[in-house]
Amino acid sequence: MNTMKSLKRKLMYEGLIFKVWQEEYEIKSHTLKRDIVEFPETCAVLPIDNEENAILITQFRYPLKKELLEIPAGKIDPGETPEEAARRELMEEIKMSPRKLSKIGVFYLTPGYSTEKIHIFIGMDLEKAPLPEDLGEEIKIHRIPLLELKNLMNKGEIEDAKTFLALLYYFHFYWKK
């Protein structure tokens, strides 16, 4: 049951990708403020190559000042379905397209302060289909055996949440080993 009542909403910042709002609301006769990041919907795909390997990427994540091992992902453009965006992201980031795309689910990444919702897929039966990569992305493509990825997860070396979630789902519901 929602007992919060919105009182005021003020745009604090509008950037290239997201907006930051400050909202004032009332709950149990107390007035509180909260900063909220309004972020577009995104998608991510775990590409599986021949049921033995996954194709992941590394890219430098500027806010963290380091590279992360991740599944391909990106924003869903206006007018684009999550499935179309997922296929496009794979073509941009790993130069392949899945003949089979299965949706894992839709998740909120950080609901305490952001509206970002991500659609996560598993892509299989991959074929070459390159698209130019996005400006500003320096992506390295890695074909990694699934057993090695499972070991990286067990050692806490998969730090990206969407990647961890997609791998966990794949190992639980798809993997036959």
Side-chain angles (χ1 to χ4, degrees):
M1 180 169 105
N2 181 10
T3 60
M4 295 181 196
K5 179 183 173 190
S6 183
L7 303 174
K8 269 197 270 191
R9 186 175 201 218
K10 180 180 175 186
L11 182 62
M12 303 301 286
Y13 172 79
E14 184 168 358
L16 299 172
I17 300 172
F18 62 88
K19 296 177 183 177
V20 178
W21 297 88
Q22 187 171 82
E23 292 200 24
E24 194 172 293
Y25 61 99
E26 185 177 82
I27 182 167
K28 297 181 183 175
S29 71
H30 295 287
T31 300
L32 302 169
K33 287 184 181 179
R34 180 164 298 232
D35 294 331
I36 298 169
V37 176
E38 182 182 307
F39 199 91
E41 285 189 45
T42 58
C43 66
V45 185
L46 172 61
I48 301 296
D49 183 28
N50 70 25
E51 297 186 21
E52 294 294 322
N53 302 296
I55 301 174
L56 274 64
I57 61 170
T58 50
Q59 60 183 320
F60 187 79
R61 291 302 194 174
Y62 191 80
L64 304 177
K65 309 292 189 274
K66 67 179 183 176
E67 281 190 345
L68 284 184
L69 183 63
E70 305 175 44
I71 60 176
K75 293 186 316 260
I76 299 171
D77 291 336
E80 195 174 39
T81 67
E83 291 79 7
E84 291 167 339
R87 290 179 192 283
R88 176 184 47 76
E89 285 297 333
L90 280 189
M91 291 188 292
E92 289 173 357
E93 295 189 0
I94 67 165
K95 312 301 179 205
M96 301 188 97
S97 179
R99 288 187 186 106
K100 183 178 178 191
L101 195 62
S102 301
K103 193 167 197 172
I104 291 175
V106 182
F107 308 94
Y108 289 101
L109 291 175
T110 50
Y113 68 86
S114 174
T115 63
E116 185 177 1
K117 185 185 337 184
I118 190 165
H119 301 254
I120 301 180
F121 299 88
I122 295 174
M124 293 183 268
D125 197 10
L126 305 173
E127 61 183 350
K128 288 188 187 225
L131 276 179
E133 60 190 43
D134 286 337
L135 186 63
E137 289 185 334
E138 292 183 17
I139 292 173
K140 296 175 200 153
I141 301 168
H142 307 273
R143 183 173 269 105
I144 304 173
L146 289 165
L147 187 57
E148 184 179 332
L149 283 170
K150 195 168 189 185
N151 290 334
L152 289 174
M153 288 177 69
N154 289 336
K155 292 192 280 186
E157 294 182 24
I158 302 291
E159 298 178 279
D160 178 63
K162 68 185 175 300
T163 301
F164 191 89
L165 178 61
L167 286 168
L168 192 63
Y169 188 94
Y170 183 81
F171 287 132
H172 185 76
F173 291 107
Y174 284 81
W175 208 39
K176 297 171 178 70
K177 302 228 180 212

